[in-house]
């Protein structure tokens, strides 16, 4: 018994170390993305709450579209991981090339659809009239980044599936540095660059994303490990088999992520109905929650990749240990973030907007609930990543539909608008949704791994 326990602990620590090797570069990659978002919000904050509310609304709409595209490509990393485990270079190359075509076409469709949204839907969503024009202007600019970002995302999923993190990290760091420099240049106008005000943030975002996609392409095509894939499969034909493979995981994952992200985006619309100050406060808090969520992908991605590897090799015992070890690491990280949210809740608003005590008070009131939301939202995203590695996507889709659209949004709307408790009601609704989602996804993971282990015992 003691020997078994000792072996289990050694195996658990072994997998924790392997998780960290993959997680650390991803963490710093995501940190670069966060620095871009936070620097954008801080700079926009100098233009006042109207500009901050406009950008909040524009980003909420933009991410409703882009997150679906990310979801479609999310299955590629687990499929590539499976091919890599079996050293099937041709299969991995075909998955990547088909994914690249899918993402390119999707990005064009999203660009067209967002303009229809601006014309036909946005003016009738009951948002404050004074922020509609700047929201539309900013949205038209950042929509140009759909194509480069979706191309980058496919190269990223390919890289993650092969457990290569450095190309993503290098590309993101370079684009982060360029984005910050361009922000100040476009806002203030230097030399030949025109002075564009807060809309300059949109242009700098587009340019940095173009550079990011070019960088990762150049780095990956020269990498030792990827050469096996690029050289093995030189002639590209579209095959229905590979389209089906990607869509089988991608479409349910995309809808899942769309349901989750759109719930948070629609929470911005509900907050907008409460007033500009409430929407500005909501944007401040949601930018922080989004930041920890983005950082948390350094655990969900290793969960997807490493579980996908073990599934391909039929090492179900290790698979389960990897799943729980990733959850353990993520929960520790998210708990630290929650504690920091609570301790710093009086100072957080001042990072974004100065001399507005009303907005600062609203932020203070939201932060305790938001700390709970980010904890459980992060946990459920890790479970979702693990289940994606298991190529289980349909049940999580139904869980997302129930948690966000049957529970979170209706409860948030009733509390904030009907019962008139303001934007804090929105966050109570989100809290209930993410807690239920994380519990149901955990149960799903336990049941699936039990079934897999039983197949070994039966043999």
């Amino acid at each position: 018994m003691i020997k078994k326990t000792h072996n289990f602990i050694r195996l658990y620590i072994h997998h924790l170390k392997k998780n960290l090797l993959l997680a650390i570069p991803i963490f710093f990659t995501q940190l670069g993305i966060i620095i871009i978002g936070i620097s954008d919000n801080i700079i926009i904050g100098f233009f006042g709450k109207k500009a901050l509310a406009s950008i909040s609304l524009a980003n909420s709409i933009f991410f409703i579209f882009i997150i679906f595209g990310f979801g479609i490509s999310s299955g590629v990393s687990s499929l590539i991981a499976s091919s890599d485990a079996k050293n099937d270079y041709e299969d991995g190359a075909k998955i990547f090339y088909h994914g690249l075509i899918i993402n390119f076409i999707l990005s064009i469709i999203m660009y067209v659809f967002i303009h229809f949204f601006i014309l036909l839907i946005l003016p009738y969503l009951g948002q404050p009239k004074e922020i509609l024009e700047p929201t539309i202007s900013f949205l038209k600019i950042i929509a140009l980044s759909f194509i480069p970002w979706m191309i980058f995302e496919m190269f990223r999923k390919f890289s993650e599936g092969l457990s290569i993190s450095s190309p993503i990290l290098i590309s993101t760091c370079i684009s982060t540095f360029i984005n910050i420099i361009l922000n100040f240049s476009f806002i203030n106008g230097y030399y030949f660059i025109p002075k564009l005000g807060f809309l300059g943030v949109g242009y700098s975002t587009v340019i940095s994303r173009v550079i990011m996609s070019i960088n990762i392409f150049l780095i990956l095509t020269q990498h030792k490990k990827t050469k096996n894939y690029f050289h093995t499969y030189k002639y590209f034909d579209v095959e229905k088999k590979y389209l089906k493979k990607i869509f089988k995981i991608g479409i349910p994952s995309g809808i899942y992520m769309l349901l989750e992200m759109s719930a948070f985006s629609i929470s911005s619309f509900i907050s907008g109905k409460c007033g500009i100050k409430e929407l500005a406060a909501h944007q401040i808090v949601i930018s922080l929650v989004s930041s920890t969520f983005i950082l948390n992908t350094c655990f969900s991605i290793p969960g997807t990749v490493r579980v996908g590897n073990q599934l391909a090799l039929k090492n179900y015992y290790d698979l389960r240990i990897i799943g729980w070890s990733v959850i353990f690491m993520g929960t520790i990280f998210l708990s630290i973030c929650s504690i920091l949210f609570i301790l710093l809740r009086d100072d957080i608003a001042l990072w974004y907007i100065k001399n507005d005590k009303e907005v600062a008070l609203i932020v203070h009131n939201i932060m305790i609930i938001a700390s709970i939301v980010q904890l459980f939202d992060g946990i459920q995203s890790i479970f979702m990543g693990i289940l994606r590695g298991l190529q289980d996507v349909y049940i999580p889709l139904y869980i997302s539909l129930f948690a966000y659209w049957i529970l979170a949004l209706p409860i948030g709307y009733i509390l904030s608008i009907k019962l008139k408790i303001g934007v804090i009601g929105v966050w109570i609704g989100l809290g209930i949704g993410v807690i239920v989602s994380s519990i149901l996804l955990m149960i799903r993971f336990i049941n699936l791994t039990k079934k897999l282990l039983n197949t070994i015992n039966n043999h």
Side-chain angles (χ1 to χ4, degrees), residues 288-305:
L288 289 169
V289 171
S290 299
S291 296
T292 58
F293 182 85
I294 291 168
L295 283 176
N296 187 59
T297 57
C298 75
F299 303 111
S300 62
I301 291 170
T304 300
V305 173

Side-chain angles (χ1 to χ4, degrees), residues 180-327:
I180 293 170
I181 292 174
L182 289 178
N183 270 346
F184 287 101
S185 301
F186 280 120
I187 286 170
N188 300 307
Y190 292 116
Y191 301 107
F192 60 90
I193 298 175
K195 186 176 181 179
L196 299 171
F198 77 88
L199 291 178
V201 172
Y203 287 105
S204 66
T205 299
V206 173
I207 293 169
S208 66
R209 286 173 183 166
V210 170
I211 292 169
M212 187 167 65
S213 62
I214 293 170
N215 280 337
I216 197 168
F217 166 75
L218 293 174
I219 296 168
L220 275 178
T221 51
Q222 299 303 314
H223 199 281
K224 286 181 182 179
K225 192 168 184 178
T226 59
K227 284 181 179 179
N228 292 326
Y229 292 88
F230 292 133
H231 292 170
T232 300
Y233 185 59
K234 295 180 180 179
Y235 304 101
F236 176 63
D237 294 312
V238 176
E239 297 180 38
K240 286 184 180 179
K241 180 177 76 170
Y242 285 95
L243 292 176
K244 286 180 180 179
K245 233 179 185 182
I246 294 169
F247 283 134
K248 185 179 179 181
I249 301 175
I251 289 177
S253 296
I255 296 171
Y256 170 88
M257 293 175 73
L258 180 66
L259 290 172
E260 181 184 8
M261 186 64 199
S262 60
F264 279 90
S265 296
I266 289 170
S267 72
S268 293
F269 289 106
I270 298 172
S271 300
K273 284 181 170 289
C274 298
I276 291 179
K277 289 184 184 292
E278 285 79 4
L279 181 56
H282 175 79
Q283 168 61 9
I284 290 169
V285 177
I286 208 165
S287 69
L288 289 169
V289 171
S290 299
S291 296
T292 58
F293 182 85
I294 291 168
L295 283 176
N296 187 59
T297 57
C298 75
F299 303 111
S300 62
I301 291 170
T304 300
V305 173
R306 299 204 62 226
V307 165
N309 265 310
Q310 299 308 309
L311 182 69
L313 298 172
K314 297 184 179 180
N315 294 333
Y316 302 138
Y317 183 72
D318 279 18
L319 182 154
R320 193 177 200 188
I321 293 175
I322 288 168
W324 285 118
S325 66
V326 172
I327 290 293

Side-chain angles (χ1 to χ4, degrees), residues 285 289 341-342 364-375 423-432 434:
V285 177
V289 171
F341 276 18
I342 294 168
H364 171 91
N365 292 335
I366 295 172
M367 283 311 300
I368 292 178
I369 298 171
S371 67
I372 297 169
V373 170
Q374 74 87 30
L375 173 63
V423 70
I424 196 168
V426 174
W427 283 90
I428 292 172
L430 290 173
I432 292 169
V434 296

Side-chain angles (χ1 to χ4, degrees), residues 103-117:
N103 270 23
F104 178 72
I105 294 170
L106 267 176
S107 64
I108 295 172
I109 293 170
M110 289 189 292
Y111 181 79
V112 173
F113 265 66
I114 208 165
H115 282 79
F116 278 107
F117 184 91

Side-chain angles (χ1 to χ4, degrees), residues 74-75 77-79 248-250 252-253 256 299-309 311 319-320 322-324 326-327 378-400 436-452:
S74 65
S77 56
S78 62
L79 292 172
K248 185 179 179 181
I249 301 175
S253 296
Y256 170 88
F299 303 111
S300 62
I301 291 170
T304 300
V305 173
R306 299 204 62 226
V307 165
N309 265 310
L311 182 69
L319 182 154
R320 193 177 200 188
I322 288 168
W324 285 118
V326 172
I327 290 293
I379 291 170
Q380 65 92 26
S381 78
I382 299 173
F383 273 119
M384 183 58 199
I386 293 167
L387 291 171
R388 196 178 296 121
L390 286 166
Q391 299 185 17
D392 177 59
V393 287
Y394 289 98
I395 298 299
L397 171 60
Y398 302 137
I399 289 172
S400 179
V436 170
S437 177
S438 61
I439 292 170
L440 293 177
L441 289 171
M442 179 181 69
I443 292 169
R444 179 65 178 167
F445 171 68
I446 291 169
N447 289 339
L448 278 180
T449 49
K450 273 185 180 178
K451 286 180 181 178
L452 290 173

